[in-house]
Amino acid sequence: MARYRTHSVAFKRQVVQVYLAGETLRGLALRHDLSRNLIRVWIAKHEAGALDEDVQAADLLQEYEARIPMLERLVGRQALEIEFLKGGLQPARAQKSVTMSVVAGPPVCRSAEDVR
């Protein structure tokens, strides 16, 4: 028998329904390569209603997993906006420190010879 397999809730319910319909534990265990004790656990969970809780938990998990890509896109957009706004602030500071003429451009620095 394989170890550490996970089975869907639908499969577990199917096995339990076949057992409740009259199939023997031995027959189910051989057909599906399962432990009889594992099938007993699934039957007990079914009788306690725990398999239905598993379905609700799985549905909730799927809903959350569907929201993850949307939230990742939102975080990416916000990061881009932050970077854009940070970049927009830096040139504004530089423009205030240097006076520029629209016609001539920035002032030319004089050489030491021109100053004399």
Side-chain angles (χ1 to χ4, degrees), residues 4 14 22 27 30-31 40 45-46 48 52 63 69 73 82 85 92 98 101 103-104 106-107 112 115:
Y4 305 110
Q14 177 187 0
L30 289 174
R31 183 176 338 135
R40 285 187 190 109
K45 283 186 175 184
H46 175 73
D52 295 334
E63 179 185 331
R73 284 192 300 272
I82 289 170
L85 293 174
V98 176
S101 169
V103 175
V115 174

Side-chain angles (χ1 to χ4, degrees), residues 44-104:
K45 283 186 175 184
H46 175 73
E47 290 172 351
L51 287 181
D52 295 334
E53 292 172 10
D54 289 344
V55 170
Q56 292 173 355
D59 290 342
L60 185 61
L61 183 62
Q62 286 179 344
E63 179 185 331
Y64 288 157
E65 286 177 348
R67 290 186 62 197
I68 288 173
M70 179 194 65
L71 294 173
E72 287 176 343
R73 284 192 300 272
L74 179 63
V75 168
R77 264 191 244 126
Q78 290 176 343
L80 285 173
E81 288 176 9
I82 289 170
E83 289 301 316
F84 176 75
L85 293 174
K86 281 182 181 179
L89 291 176
Q90 291 172 355
R93 290 183 194 144
Q95 288 176 357
K96 289 181 182 178
S97 64
V98 176
T99 57
M100 292 177 42
S101 169
V102 176
V103 175

Side-chain angles (χ1 to χ4, degrees), residues 5 7 12 34-43:
R5 293 184 296 176
H7 302 283
K12 293 175 186 179
L34 298 170
S35 164
R36 286 182 282 185
N37 202 30
L38 179 61
I39 297 172
R40 285 187 190 109
V41 169
W42 292 351
I43 292 168

Side-chain angles (χ1 to χ4, degrees), residues 13-35:
R13 268 198 250 131
Q14 177 187 0
V15 170
V16 169
Q17 293 303 321
V18 171
Y19 172 77
L20 294 176
E23 180 76 29
T24 63
L25 281 175
R26 178 174 158 73
L28 280 172
L30 289 174
R31 183 176 338 135
H32 296 291
D33 193 26
L34 298 170
S35 164

